Structures are given as structure tokens and as C-alpha cells.
Amino acid sequence: MKKNYPPYVVGLIVLIISLGITLLIEINQTRKHEQESRNQTLTYLSAVRARLEGTFNSTIYLSRALSVLVTAQDGITHSKFNQIARELMASSHHIRNVALAEGYVINFMYPLAGNQKAVGLDYRKTPKQWQAVKRAIDTGQTVVAGPVKLVQGGVAFINRTPIFKSSFSDKPDSGDFWGIASIVIDMDSVFTTAGLPDTESKYQVAIRGKDGLGANGEVFWGEAALFDQSPELLDVTFPNGSWQLAAAPKGGWRIVNEDSLWIMVSGVVISLMFATLTTLIHRNNLRIKHIALHDQLTRLPNRLQFNERVSQALAHAQRVQGQVAIAVLDLNKFKPVNDTYGHLAGDYVLEQVADRIRSTLRKEDIVARTGGDEFTLLLVDIHSLDNIVIIAGKVIERLLEPFNWQGQELNVGVSIGIALYPVHGTDLTALFHHADLAMYHAKHDPDTHWMIASLPEEEMTGQQASLPI
């Protein structure tokens, strides 16, 4: 039999499903919004990277120009160096100073004012600078160190390019090591030109990669925590090094937008309405089904439901080779009650009869009202005649007790006919036929209130042994 769930359970299931669908729509909308936000962030970050790479690399390559001039002239004089350095600084306002070391000792500096202490500095004796210088010499390429705090104040990058002795016919940067060209580049000047910090932007930006180490370097600009917030990332590349840019919206990725809020509010309201409507419809359907399958006076199953339950019981008995019984019960002397005391008294008696039978039967047995004063019983798991005798005796005993109606004692009689499966038949029609006949005989036998159906004489020999009598 199909299970009927309570209306509130069905409504709750519908509510959960509806809210789940709403949540999936909201998640999809949020992901779409986040993807759009990431695309916009990446566009912004690409523009920052382009400005930063252009500004920084154009300044870095100026040291390459100095190294070429030194190589071409096989050395340089102080006056010539000052002239070249002055031109270099005039071409880029990001340069703080220019230095040239012949060998490992700085002996050229521009401007000299404020940088006198650097003249004569031996890189090999300065551990903080020697590592970057050695890397430039070993690789033969420009190396960017920093940012570092300057004694003169401010923060800067130090760009170092190795210079090798070579003729025009030789391979560039070949021959013996000549020295190091260094340019100090002001970090704030470069970043300001690149548009950082951008106070009017809705994005927060951070940069890591100190000493050109990219993702493996320390964070030197912005908040380090930004790299833990799933930001968009881009690399800023320059000779022999890189930085990594990170950007994310200042409010984070999961900002609740109007569309998501509208979806959630609308979804919740619609889900509640849908769940309420489903509950009411299901409750009404159960009520209609209950009315269709039950007697409205006694609240017992009617003939339609009883026949369905009998069919199920017979199918089960056939599978397990068991026995069930059908009992047809008819009230005697019920018409005088209606005629004498009215239909209200008759209805009262019928309700009391239903309650008494229901309270007497076993839990697994079923009673239904199938006519005006006729009731039908389904007795399952019948193993012997004793089962029937006990049940029938209790039912008759209870129904013969007087009924108290407004101070009046009302009495009715009862006749019961019983048929057994499979002795008296294997289908519902045959069993009802035999039970009706047995009830008819019991009604006309003054010595008994119940009777088990008999078999035709020609079947008695083969079937009597299976009858539990």
C-alpha cells in the first residue's frame, strides 16, 4: 500500500527542495558576479602591470647604455662619466644617482653631493651588496636588488649591470670583467608614475618579489595578507627577475549584490508560499481520499478499502501458505431502535458497535462498515479454530451488552458468518459468498450467533481435513 506522508512532512520536503533550488540559483549568480569581478580586476591589474613594466624597464635599460659606452671606449674619464650620468638622470626623473665601479670598487659617482661616502666602497667587503653584484657578474646580466632603504632617505631599487672588455668584433659582454654600472631608482617615483597607490580605485594591490625573486620573494608593497585572499595575480618582468602583482576588490570577492539579494528574498518567499500551498493541497487530497475510503459515521474503512485490504491479505496468505478468515456481521433488532428512538439513536448504536468491535479485534485484524447495519471483519494469521472461536466469542459478548442512550438501555442482536481461505475459496467473491450464507444460517438459528461456512457435500471428503475445526 502506498504510504501517505503527513501534509506538514510533504510541505517541509517541498520547502527544502525549493530553498535548495533558490540557493543553487543564488550560488550560480554569485559565481557569475565573482567571475565578472575577477575579469574587471584582471583588466585593472593588466593596466597597472603595463605601466609598471614600461616605467621600470625603460629606466633599467639606461644602465645598459652606460655599460655599452664604457665598453666601446675601453674605459671612461670622470668628466665623460659626469656628462653621461647627467644626461641619464635628465632622461628619467626616477634615477637618484649613477655609480660606476672599475673592478669591484666604486670610483665614479653622480651626483657626488650627498654620496661622497660611497666613493671607494669595495663591493667584496660589503656583504649586503656583494651577493647581488656577484650574481650579476656570474650571469653576465643586469640584476635588480631591493627595494632597500637609503641612508639619504627614501626607498629605492639598485640596478647593477656588469661590464666586460670586448671589441666590436667579439661577442658582446665577452672578455675580461671590467666593472659594474649601478643606477639607484626611486621606488615611490616609479610606482607613482605607474598609478600606485590608486586611492580612487576600488581595488587593493600588493607586490612581492624583493630582489627580483617573483612569487618566492618578500612582500614589499601593500598588505601581505592580500595574497591569502585568492587574488588575481600577474607577473612584472624585467631583466633577470620579476615581481608578482596581486589585486582584489577592497570589500572582498563575495560582496552581496542586488541581484543575489533579490534572488534570495524572492526565493524564500516563493518557497514558503509553494510549501504552504503544497501542504494545503496534500491535506485536502488526504481528506478526500479518507472520505472516499472510510465510512463517515463510524470512521471505519468502507467496502472499497476493505476489499483492497482483503486482496492484499489473500496475496500474502498465498505466498506463505497461510489462512485468513472473512466474517460478515449483521445486527439484529436494529430497525426497531431506529423506529422507536429515531435515527440519532441508531447512529449512536452504530458508532458504539464500531468502537466495540475495533477494541476487541487484534491489532492486525480489520473491521469495516459495508452496509447500513452490516460490518465485515478480516481476520489474518488464522492457525486454528481456537483463533476464530476466541475472536468471535469476544465480539458477540461485547455487542450483546446494552447500549445506553439518553438513560435508555438499547439492545441489539448479532449474527456472524465466517469463511476461510483457502477452504471456502481463493478469491474475494467466493469468500464473501460463503460468509454471507453462513451469516444467513446463523441469523435463522436461535441456538447460535455465529457460524463457519460449510462446504458442498461433494467437496467435504477432500477439504474437511484442511478445515481448522
Side-chain angles (χ1 to χ4, degrees), residues 124-159:
R124 294 169 297 183
K125 298 179 181 180
T126 311
K128 290 184 179 180
Q129 299 190 42
W130 173 242
Q131 185 176 0
V133 171
K134 188 175 185 303
R135 184 152 61 100
I137 296 171
D138 292 342
T139 61
Q141 298 179 7
T142 297
V143 171
V144 177
V148 296
K149 290 185 178 180
L150 300 176
V151 176
Q152 304 93 322
V155 180
F157 299 100
I158 302 177
N159 172 41

Side-chain angles (χ1 to χ4, degrees), residues 99-103 123 133 136-137 160-163 177-182:
L100 191 61
E102 186 173 0
Y123 285 128
V133 171
I137 296 171
R160 296 184 175 93
T161 301
I163 303 174
F177 171 69
W178 185 88
I180 292 286
S182 300

Side-chain angles (χ1 to χ4, degrees), residues 102-242:
E102 186 173 0
Y104 303 102
V105 179
I106 298 176
N107 47 12
F108 297 90
M109 175 64 69
Y110 186 89
L112 187 59
N115 298 303
Q116 294 93 336
K117 291 183 179 180
V119 178
L121 182 143
D122 189 335
Y123 285 128
R124 294 169 297 183
K125 298 179 181 180
T126 311
K128 290 184 179 180
Q129 299 190 42
W130 173 242
Q131 185 176 0
V133 171
K134 188 175 185 303
R135 184 152 61 100
I137 296 171
D138 292 342
T139 61
Q141 298 179 7
T142 297
V143 171
V144 177
V148 296
K149 290 185 178 180
L150 300 176
V151 176
Q152 304 93 322
V155 180
F157 299 100
I158 302 177
N159 172 41
R160 296 184 175 93
T161 301
I163 303 174
F164 298 89
K165 296 178 180 179
S166 61
S167 63
F168 292 112
S169 59
D170 292 330
K171 180 180 178 182
D173 296 332
S174 64
D176 297 332
F177 171 69
W178 185 88
I180 292 286
S182 300
I183 294 181
V184 177
I185 304 172
D186 187 274
M187 185 183 77
D188 291 337
S189 177
V190 170
F191 283 12
T192 300
T193 301
L196 296 175
D198 186 356
T199 56
E200 297 181 359
S201 170
K202 63 179 180 180
Y203 305 104
Q204 52 182 332
V205 177
I207 307 174
R208 64 184 174 188
K210 184 177 180 181
D211 295 330
L213 297 179
N216 297 321
E218 297 177 12
V219 177
F220 62 85
W221 201 88
E223 298 292 334
L226 180 61
F227 285 93
D228 299 324
Q229 299 174 16
S230 184
E232 288 298 314
L233 302 172
L234 285 178
D235 289 334
V236 175
T237 59
F238 46 83
N240 206 27
S242 67

Side-chain angles (χ1 to χ4, degrees), residues 52 103 107 117 135 191 199 202 236 247 261 357-358 391 413 438 447 449 461:
L52 200 54
N107 47 12
K117 291 183 179 180
R135 184 152 61 100
F191 283 12
T199 56
K202 63 179 180 180
V236 175
L261 187 61
I357 296 175
R358 190 161 37 204
I391 296 172
D447 298 326
H449 291 287
T461 303

Side-chain angles (χ1 to χ4, degrees), residues 328-339:
V328 176
L329 183 153
D330 191 69
L331 298 180
N332 302 324
K333 303 177 184 178
F334 177 72
K335 188 174 183 301
V337 172
N338 270 335
D339 294 342

Side-chain angles (χ1 to χ4, degrees), residues 56-64 142 144 159 183 185 238-239:
F56 194 63
N57 281 323
S58 64
T59 306
I60 286 177
Y61 287 131
L62 294 176
S63 65
R64 182 65 178 170
T142 297
V144 177
N159 172 41
I183 294 181
I185 304 172
F238 46 83

